[in-house]
Amino acid sequence: MQTFELEGYDFIELNKLMKIMNLVGSGGEAKQFIDEGLVLVNGQVETQRRKKLRMGDVVTFEGEEVKVQ
């Protein structure tokens, strides 16, 4: 499991996290995968592209997990 540090921010948007963590090649790809229901947040399908992720949230995509800290 990878981790992402919020570093003083309250949240990060789902599509931005996917791009920053190199789960996708572009923001457009992130939007497409989210729209298709292929991304999980805390074990639930998430279709909100700009879902606000906060400390403790876990994103799962194609077998990769990222925990927000």
Side-chain angles (χ1 to χ4, degrees):
M1 177 181 293
Q2 300 181 63
T3 58
F4 174 80
E5 299 287 334
L6 284 174
E7 297 177 0
Y9 292 96
D10 291 334
F11 64 88
I12 183 169
E13 293 173 351
L14 177 58
N15 58 335
K16 292 179 182 176
L17 176 80
M18 291 180 70
K19 187 174 177 189
I20 289 169
M21 296 302 292
N22 294 317
L23 298 177
V24 293
S26 69
E29 282 184 6
K31 291 175 185 177
Q32 179 181 352
F33 291 129
I34 295 166
D35 288 347
E36 291 175 5
L38 299 176
V39 180
L40 304 179
V41 174
N42 300 326
Q44 302 290 321
V45 172
E46 183 56 65
T47 56
Q48 294 180 57
R49 297 175 183 174
R50 299 179 79 185
K51 168 79 174 169
K52 292 179 180 178
L53 303 174
R54 301 180 191 281
M55 193 173 296
D57 286 336
V58 177
V59 175
T60 306
F61 175 68
E62 292 190 342
E64 295 285 331
E65 288 188 333
V66 177
K67 183 173 185 175
V68 179
Q69 295 187 358

